[in-house]
Amino acid sequence: MSQHKPLILVSNDDGIDAPGLYAAVKGASALGTVVVSAPAHQQSGVGRGLQRGPDVGTTQVTNRFEQFDKVERAQAVIGSPAQAVHVAILGYLKGRMPDLVITGVNLGYNVGSGIPASGTVGAAQEAWSLFGIPALAVSSQTLDHFGDGSEIDWDACAEVVAHWGAFILEHGLPEQVALLNVNIPIGATLSTTPMRRTIVSYECDWKYVDANGGRISPATDLRIIDNPHEERFEPDSDIRAVRDGVISVSPLRAQLATRSAWDVFDRAIGH
């Protein structure tokens, strides 16, 4: 890391009071000056969506992180995770561009084809796409997506945040990479758990089934369970790594379109 004192913006999708956000701030505070801008309320599953309404963008300063002397400001934002990021950059920071955006630590891992639903990853994508800021999204496996995360070692998560945050600050990201998506299995620690470079699985890590308790909301008869089809998870995939008890690190590309050969398609558009 250079002598420049990094400026780090931290956000999440679980809301300003989430224990995972506290872990991310703890990890980021080991690296530089920290500004926290997170949704005022739970915003899981909103992806990179933007909300509308008279109160969207309203901020409230909080002293929740006052024990960290590196935290310059912490604010709760009415809006989505992506909006919490750009409200901080265009609002409070006013031209001071963060060196790194860290999002998480999410309660529940964000892997496979379900990633676009993740507000944690969505906020990180907002940082790169709109502002060109390298980003780190960090999530932890949980035993209960609707629980309090008490089974998670948040201190270990903070160490993983600090490790990969320092890596990005030191080395940057390649031009074609928008962010690192890190997923931590239950019981993992930085010193004892292997890490694996992974691809995003074609599979989703969860599926919907008819409700038998544990509904996703009072208005629906669906609930979420873990995808039971272990045999479909590619050996080098993010889902496989976490299920194997390995920390998954996926460099995510900025470009969504594929250049893969597709003859019938090329003929259909006249090539």
Side-chain angles (χ1 to χ4, degrees):
M1 226 177 292
S2 70
Q3 296 302 310
H4 165 72
K5 188 175 183 180
L7 176 62
I8 302 162
L9 175 61
V10 179
S11 190
N12 75 342
D13 74 357
D14 288 326
I16 193 72
D17 295 321
L21 181 63
Y22 193 88
V25 172
K26 182 177 181 180
S29 294
L31 307 175
T33 300
V34 177
V35 171
V36 184
S37 183
H41 309 291
Q42 170 62 253
Q43 292 286 321
S44 290
V46 303
R48 197 180 157 191
L50 304 178
Q51 298 177 4
R52 301 179 69 177
D55 297 326
V56 171
T58 302
T59 63
Q60 181 176 0
V61 176
T62 174
N63 62 0
R64 172 170 162 71
F65 307 99
E66 63 182 357
Q67 78 174 84
F68 300 110
D69 58 8
K70 297 289 183 64
V71 175
E72 178 181 306
R73 177 185 172 97
Q75 62 183 27
V77 179
I78 301 297
S80 70
Q83 286 169 314
V85 168
H86 75 239
V87 163
I89 294 172
L90 299 176
Y92 172 71
L93 290 171
K94 294 189 188 314
R96 282 194 299 155
M97 199 61 67
D99 298 284
L100 174 65
V101 170
I102 297 174
T103 62
V105 175
N106 192 66
L107 178 64
Y109 57 7
N110 284 301
V111 292
S113 62
I115 282 178
S118 167
T120 302
V121 177
Q125 289 174 317
E126 189 82 355
W128 189 91
S129 178
L130 291 189
F131 304 103
I133 304 169
L136 170 66
V138 183
S139 305
S140 173
Q141 185 183 28
T142 180
L143 302 179
D144 181 3
H145 285 269
F146 302 100
D148 61 5
S150 56
E151 76 278 17
I152 296 173
D153 185 342
W154 294 114
D155 288 336
C157 291
E159 292 179 353
V160 173
V161 169
H163 175 83
W164 285 106
F167 174 87
I168 295 174
L169 289 170
E170 178 70 23
H171 302 287
L173 295 176
E175 184 178 358
Q176 71 274 19
V177 174
L179 62 105
L180 295 184
N181 187 39
V182 178
N183 286 277
I184 306 168
I186 290 286
T189 69
L190 185 64
S191 60
T192 63
T193 305
M195 290 187 275
R196 183 184 301 167
R197 178 175 177 169
T198 56
I199 63 166
V200 176
S201 176
Y202 281 106
E203 295 292 319
C204 192
D205 64 307
W206 44 266
K207 64 178 293 187
Y208 293 116
V209 296
D210 289 338
N212 182 18
R215 289 181 175 184
I216 59 175
S217 83
T220 182
D221 288 325
L222 296 176
R223 66 188 178 102
I224 295 174
I225 65 168
D226 284 347
N227 188 332
H229 298 293
E230 295 269 346
E231 73 282 359
R232 298 181 185 175
F233 303 151
E234 306 88 337
D236 57 348
S237 70
D238 46 10
I239 303 179
R240 182 73 273 159
V242 177
R243 296 286 182 95
D244 287 346
V246 174
I247 296 172
S248 167
V249 185
S250 300
L252 301 189
R253 290 174 58 90
Q255 187 180 62
L256 298 180
T258 178
R259 292 188 174 91
S260 299
W262 189 7
D263 292 344
V264 66
F265 172 79
D266 289 339
R267 288 195 300 271
I269 61 174
H271 285 188

